[in-house]
Amino acid sequence: MTGKLLGPGSGTKPKPTSDTQSSDDEERTMPEEKLLLSDPKKIQSKGWSGWYKFNHRLPNWMPQRFVICVLAHFGFIFLYIMRSNMSLAIVRMTTPYSFLCVDHLVSQVDYDWSMKEQGIILGSFFFGYIMTQIPGGYLAVRHGGRMVFGLGVGLAAISSLLTPLLGHYLGFYGFVLARVLCGICEGVTYPAIHAMWSHWAPPKERTTLVSGAFAGAYLGAAISFTASSHDASWEWLFLSAGLYSLLWTFIWFAWGNEYPEIDEVISESELHYLTETVGAQQYSQNQSIPWKKILLSHRVWAICMCHFAANWGFYTILTELPTFMRHALHFQEGSLANTAALPFLGMGITAAFGGYLVDNTLLRCVNVTYTRKVTIAITFLAQMMFFFYAGKATEGYEFMICICGALFFGGLSWAGFGANHLDIAPDYASILLGITNTAGTIPGIISPIVTGYLVENKDELASWSPVFLLSGYVYLGAGFFYIVFGTGENQDWADANEAVKLNSQRKQSRVSDVESGSD
């Protein structure tokens, strides 16, 4: 059973009048689907429609696709606050403090964990995160990216609220369990938002919209570091993140739709623009996904390599920077948080505007393939150099300059590979991102553990040098692989409409064989 929403490229009129609604709905829906667009209960059951109904359309100067981008941007801010707050909380949890007891000072520590135990806690989030990447992409194809993205943020918020409770009662294993649960919930979000962009992002704006939404992740990390500079307890880091994320979840589900064709507030001009640029929208309950061709595609593996390298450097800094600054650079806790936020703030700014810069400079001069390769070559080469310099640095300010420079170009690198899934297979972009982000999650698991083994003495600068050098070599290898095998061209296996037709032909052929056999 399949159903087709004829949208961009279908030749349908934007927003039919009430007199022609019924006939147009029938035209936009395949007969065998029985999923009429005029049935709001059916639409809402698929996660397509916001539960709050609006009576007015947005003005032409406020495109709905950019409103969705802003909402997604804030969603990623809260996702990364919940992801990174353990890196900050663990510094307070393992740092000794003194308090006055009767007439003398008593020194104690909340949790006396070794570096290896801290590495396990910091990496446990990614054990859960990696489990739901590909399932998240599959669910987004089946049930809509908007629904899956919203549920991912909402359930992650609940797990964040439960973290202090589980930690107090179960100790080390309670924190590991809470972080694994949070990772499971957040794992579906990146693939899910790509499913929405396959309907809402025109080719000439893909990098802008994708990078603009993902930029919220790095600003979230910066906000998390800045917020931790206040005197609130480490428990409040998890509770506040969970409460704000739940508030965002309600707003997300109240606004917008999965598809432009059934959106209630989209302007007529924007719908017409998306109709002409994005292409026909396809919904299928039994859509055939070319898993074998996807997994064997060296184009997909090129994106995987970039995703792995980008996250290796980023996760290494995200999880280890507070510990590195506190013990090796001897920052005090108050100045540590504000200074540690600077690299992520720079990364968020470059990610937000880097996509717009690439779309309006390189993409206007050369084709998509050269645009992606040039962007990766420049950004990965710069990051490699900054990490190599960090590995040889001897002063604290030299380390901070190198780290800020590496993450600055890290934000720009998303303009290279971040939208590449939509370039080569827009109909399966959510699944592709699930696959590449699975590869990108591996660094989050092993980087803290590898760091725990490489750093023999966390109070010595020289002990951290292998960590930075290793990151530089990872960028070098991934950049070379992508330049050789990467592309921006749509792949021959990437047309979902053709896959549905082929699947239908195979079913019809089997039916004919059965009928001929019975005769």
Side-chain angles (χ1 to χ4, degrees), residues 334-354:
S335 59
L336 183 154
N338 290 325
T339 306
L342 291 177
F344 301 100
L345 180 61
M347 190 174 190
I349 293 173
T350 55
F353 296 101

Side-chain angles (χ1 to χ4, degrees), residues 80 83 129 133 187 190-191 194 210 214 218 299-315 376 380 383 413-414 416-421 429-444 474-475 478-479 481-482:
Y80 255 78
R83 180 184 304 199
Y129 190 71
Q133 293 297 317
Y190 269 82
H194 254 37
V210 170
F214 287 160
Y218 313 117
R299 310 300 189 182
V300 175
W301 280 100
I303 306 176
C304 285
M305 293 292 291
C306 285
H307 214 144
F308 179 91
N311 281 6
W312 181 278
F314 175 73
Y315 286 146
I376 289 297
F380 274 28
Q383 289 180 274
S413 69
W414 274 91
F417 73 89
N420 204 193
H421 317 75
S430 62
I431 292 176
L432 262 60
L433 185 58
I435 293 171
T436 66
N437 209 22
T438 298
T441 304
I442 296 174
V474 170
Y475 280 106
F481 191 92
Y482 185 85

